[in-house]
Amino acid sequence: MAGIPIAALDSPELKKIITKNKVGVLFDPFDPKDIADKINYLIENNKTLKEMRNNALRVAKSKYNWEVYSKKLISVTIP
């Protein structure tokens, strides 16, 4: 909800969300240079950073929020 791009470890589930929504970068958690490179990439590329910020806000408002998930939860728990 803050519009902050994500720098996350490259795992299958995070990769699906981050890649599909174009909200951040993935790094190898065992490679400090890769982590630094990905964070520096975000810092140094203003256009990409701005796009990821906008995407993060958009998906936070439309998909990844309590209003959306509460409806899913209620539909599962109430027959």
Side-chain angles (χ1 to χ4, degrees):
M1 290 302 246
I4 299 172
I6 300 167
L9 64 99
D10 191 354
S11 70
E13 289 304 312
L14 289 174
K15 187 173 190 170
K16 286 180 197 175
I17 294 168
I18 292 171
T19 304
K20 178 181 178 183
N21 297 295
K22 298 177 183 169
V23 295
V25 294
L26 300 164
F27 58 79
D28 177 352
F30 301 106
D31 183 352
K33 183 176 179 337
D34 188 46
I35 297 168
D37 287 346
K38 298 297 173 58
I39 292 171
N40 285 331
Y41 171 80
L42 289 175
I43 293 168
E44 295 167 358
N45 292 283
N46 288 330
K47 182 179 176 184
T48 301
L49 184 66
K50 186 176 180 178
E51 288 172 6
M52 289 181 179
R53 283 180 176 163
N54 290 336
N55 292 342
L57 284 169
R58 179 181 46 77
V59 296
K61 291 177 183 178
S62 66
K63 189 172 183 180
Y64 299 110
N65 63 64
W66 176 243
E67 286 80 21
V68 172
Y69 278 92
S70 66
K71 292 174 187 171
K72 291 179 183 181
L73 181 62
I74 290 170
S75 70
V76 171
T77 58
I78 300 175

